[in-house]
Amino acid sequence: MTQQGAVLQGYNNELVKCIEDLCMQKEELNKQIQEAEEEKNKLQHEIQVLSEQLEYVCENLAQKVASRNELDKILAETEAAYMKILDSSRTLLNVLKKEVGSLKHSPDLKTN
């Protein structure tokens, strides 16, 4: 019976060692899980911060594009108006030259 007790004691020792090993593995796994959860929370926070920054940049970009489009419109209108002024000035100059030319050939104009 002593031999059976010794065998049983050996099994018990192995079982206790296996249980201790499993507990150590569980503790290591719990540590890894906690680290992974901390990393996940950190990344989620960074994603939130980056999302807010992206939203701000997108809004800012949209405002700048709208401003640029408005400036393009104003510039086009101004250039068109300026071209009309140039055309009117050219027309006025041509009319004035024609009138001055007519006056030079007029008999009423006396030169001293």
Side-chain angles (χ1 to χ4, degrees):
M1 188 75 136
T2 341
Q3 188 177 12
Q4 289 176 335
V7 170
L8 185 58
Q9 185 63 37
Y11 290 155
N12 187 43
N13 289 343
E14 276 190 59
L15 183 57
V16 169
K17 178 147 176 37
C18 285
I19 291 173
E20 288 174 352
D21 287 346
L22 288 174
C23 286
M24 287 175 51
Q25 287 178 4
K26 178 183 173 188
E27 287 176 26
E28 179 61 29
L29 192 56
N30 280 337
K31 181 181 172 186
Q32 291 173 1
I33 289 170
Q34 183 178 359
E35 290 172 355
E37 286 177 346
E38 289 172 1
E39 181 69 14
K40 180 188 90 163
N41 290 336
K42 177 185 165 194
L43 291 172
Q44 284 178 328
H45 176 71
E46 289 176 9
I47 288 171
Q48 181 181 356
V49 168
L50 289 173
S51 293
E52 290 170 2
Q53 289 176 348
L54 178 62
E55 183 178 344
Y56 171 78
V57 168
C58 287
E59 288 173 3
N60 193 346
L61 178 62
Q63 290 173 352
K64 288 180 180 182
V65 167
S67 294
R68 183 191 64 195
N69 291 343
E70 185 64 25
L71 287 174
D72 284 344
K73 178 182 171 189
I74 292 169
L75 185 59
E77 290 172 354
T78 302
E79 287 175 344
Y82 183 69
M83 292 307 294
K84 286 180 182 180
I85 290 170
L86 287 178
D87 287 344
S88 295
S89 295
R90 185 177 60 238
T91 302
L92 178 61
L93 180 61
N94 289 337
V95 168
L96 184 59
K97 285 179 180 179
K98 192 175 186 181
E99 290 296 323
V100 168
S102 302
L103 286 176
K104 284 183 180 178
H105 295 100
S106 172
D108 294 338
L109 187 63
K110 296 180 182 180
T111 56
N112 290 331

